[in-house]
């Protein structure tokens, strides 16, 4: 994959990736085509091949791009919390808001399991590594119980993914515009998470 040398080239590449997000999310990898993506982006197929070697190359780039953006959104959200409990809630709110605007974060990642498994694994491992780092800092500071940060990170990611699928992705597929996780659902979810993170080992 060639990196743009100019601001105009960077913008063209951004448009192609943005169009790919829409087309792959709407039509799936097999039905999507380079032609459909370039038409959506408003560029020629020759321009496409200046930046990407193939449809698969673009798909993998999209997985990495979604990963970067969702991690940034979650990090910025969590930073708004002054305690670990507040950071957890703010981070999940940011994740659900991103997913509501970019449902491809669910759809593309699920398809990536078959199309680009290494890219999919990289996506989840990067999120888990950042998450575990924050949980370890909270554990050392005494803000959470003596939990294994890696195990906790993967478990909490699973909770977020399933809740997001139920209250963001499925309503989105039913035609709702930018659906949000109801406050009551988020409150109940955080109650469960706080209980798990505050758990202490039996003496």
């Amino acid at each position: 994959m060639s990196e743009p040398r100019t601001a105009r080239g960077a913008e063209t590449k951004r448009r192609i990736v943005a169009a790919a997000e829409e087309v792959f999310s709407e039509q799936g990898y097999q039905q999507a085509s380079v032609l459909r993506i370039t038409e959506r982006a408003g560029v020629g197929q020759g321009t496409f091949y200046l930046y990407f070697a193939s449809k698969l190359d673009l798909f993998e780039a999209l997985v990495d791009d979604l990963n970067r953006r969702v991690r940034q959104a979650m990090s910025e959200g969590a930073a708004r919390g002054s305690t670990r409990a507040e950071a957890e809630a703010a981070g999940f709110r940011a994740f659900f808001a991103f997913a509501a605007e970019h449902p491809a974060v669910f759809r593309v990642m699920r398809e990536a399991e078959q199309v680009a498994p290494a890219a999919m694994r990289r996506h989840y491992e990067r999120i888990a590594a950042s998450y575990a780092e924050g949980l370890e800092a909270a554990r050392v500071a005494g803000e959470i119980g003596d939990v294994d940060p890696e195990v906790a990170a993967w478990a909490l990611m699973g909770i977020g993914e399933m809740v997001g699928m139920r209250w963001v992705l499925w309503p989105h597929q039913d035609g709702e515009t930018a659906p949000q996780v109801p406050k009551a659902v988020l409150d109940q979810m955080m109650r469960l998470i706080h209980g798990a993170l505050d758990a202490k080992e039996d003496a």
Side-chain angles (χ1 to χ4, degrees), residues 102-124:
H102 303 278
V105 77
F106 291 118
R107 297 170 181 165
V108 168
M109 295 309 167
R110 273 171 169 66
E111 195 160 25
E113 184 175 7
Q114 299 298 322
V115 175
M120 184 208 69
R121 180 170 176 171
R122 186 166 62 242
H123 164 71
Y124 287 110

Side-chain angles (χ1 to χ4, degrees), residues 31-95:
Q31 293 301 315
S33 67
V34 170
L35 176 60
R36 288 172 177 168
I37 292 167
T38 54
E39 286 178 342
R40 185 76 61 96
V43 302
Q45 290 191 62
T47 299
F48 174 92
Y49 289 107
L50 291 175
Y51 303 107
F52 302 100
S54 63
K55 182 173 74 167
L56 178 59
D57 186 26
L58 173 57
F59 185 85
E60 292 177 338
L62 173 60
V63 170
D64 286 341
D65 182 66
L66 284 167
N67 174 266
R68 176 188 58 78
R69 287 186 287 148
V70 74
R71 284 189 294 119
Q72 180 179 351
M74 292 167 67
S75 178
E76 291 175 354
R80 290 192 284 271
S82 57
T83 66
R84 187 62 208 182
E86 291 177 357
E88 286 289 333
F92 275 115
R93 276 196 294 271
F95 169 69

Side-chain angles (χ1 to χ4, degrees), residues 20-30 40 59 62-63 66 95 98-116 120 123-124 161-162 164-165 168-179:
E21 178 181 341
E22 295 176 0
V23 175
F24 283 133
S25 183
E26 293 168 4
Q27 302 175 10
Y29 180 81
Q30 297 301 330
R40 185 76 61 96
F59 185 85
L62 173 60
V63 170
L66 284 167
F95 169 69
F98 181 90
E101 197 152 335
H102 303 278
V105 77
F106 291 118
R107 297 170 181 165
V108 168
M109 295 309 167
R110 273 171 169 66
E111 195 160 25
E113 184 175 7
Q114 299 298 322
V115 175
M120 184 208 69
H123 164 71
Y124 287 110
E161 181 124 339
M162 291 299 101
M165 186 165 64
V168 177
L169 179 60
W170 290 353
H172 205 292
Q173 291 173 331
D174 291 339
E176 294 182 26
T177 303

Side-chain angles (χ1 to χ4, degrees), residues 3 8 13-14 22 32 34 44 46 70 77 83 104 124 132-133 135 164-165 172 181 186 190 196:
E3 289 302 320
R8 181 178 179 181
K13 182 178 177 182
R14 186 204 64 77
E22 295 176 0
V34 170
V70 74
T83 66
Y124 287 110
E133 184 177 335
L135 290 170
M165 186 165 64
H172 205 292
V181 173
L186 184 61
M190 297 315 304

